[in-house]
Amino acid sequence: MEDALKPYKAKRNFAITPEPADGGEEGAGVLSFVIQKHWASRLHYDFRLELDGTMKSWAVPKGPSYDTHDKRMAVQVEDHPISYNRFEGTIPEKQYGAGKVIIWDRGSWQPLDDPRRGYAAGNLKFELHGHKMRGKWVLVRMKRRGEKQQPWLLIKEKDDYARPAAEFSVVDEMPDSVASLPEL
Ligand code: MN
């Protein structure tokens, strides 16, 4: 876990940024997820899934869509500490990721296959139990074409929660923080 957080720590100056340096407890039999809405140089949604004591993280520029036809680009970024799940605040100017961060959604996730095998194979199927994020989703790793960061796609899988984009946009209709809502 220490090693997994090395890139995270190397990018940040914890004397200046309010982000956590370390820590956070693993879920007891439950795996946590969080999506942070981050107004950095460009607005994006940071999607994080707890696995093996760390938060696997992807930056999703457009955020999730409940439309099974939408394939949302999800660029893999450095693993984050589990304590990051509670972080809301403003990363100061000139610091890495400068800008405001809110907890857009959080809850638990349930792998539908062996999560380590799925992650390694680049095909991670799971169910989300959040305030906004529900039902079945998949992350699919793409072929890298010279990009520095590994691109994946976040896609809604068919189930009773799926809805056409013309009828529902979760990011537009549910824009705010869930930090004040009870934890799921
Ligand atoms: Mn971010």
Side-chain angles (χ1 to χ4, degrees), residues 72-147:
R72 290 292 162 89
M73 177 64 70
V75 178
Q76 190 165 11
V77 297
E78 74 277 13
D79 292 359
H80 278 51
I82 291 174
S83 55
Y84 210 91
N85 294 1
R86 300 180 161 276
F87 175 67
E88 267 198 355
T90 299
I91 303 168
E93 271 179 56
K94 293 181 184 156
Q95 299 303 300
Y96 180 73
K100 186 181 161 188
V101 176
I102 63 165
I103 297 168
W104 182 79
D105 198 18
R106 68 178 166 198
S108 64
W109 75 286
Q110 202 177 341
L112 297 177
D113 299 315
D114 181 299
R116 279 164 212 99
R117 198 176 299 170
Y119 176 73
N123 191 315
L124 196 53
K125 289 180 192 287
F126 51 89
E127 213 169 292
L128 293 175
H129 308 277
H131 296 281
K132 302 173 186 176
M133 296 294 280
R134 299 283 179 87
K136 293 177 183 172
W137 300 76
V138 63
L139 271 165
V140 183
R141 193 168 60 219
M142 296 171 75
K143 278 219 174 84
R144 232 199 262 221
R145 295 191 186 83
E147 297 100 332

Side-chain angles (χ1 to χ4, degrees), residues 39-60:
W39 287 266
S41 46
R42 265 183 67 188
L43 171 68
H44 60 272
Y45 296 78
D46 288 305
F47 182 49
R48 313 188 198 282
L49 295 174
E50 178 186 348
L51 188 63
D52 290 334
T54 187
M55 300 302 292
K56 298 290 173 200
S57 296
W58 293 262
V60 185

Side-chain angles (χ1 to χ4, degrees), residues 164-182:
E167 170 189 304
F168 178 61
S169 160
V170 67
V171 291
D172 293 331
E173 291 181 37
M174 306 176 113
D176 301 327
S177 171
V178 299
S180 62
L181 299 179

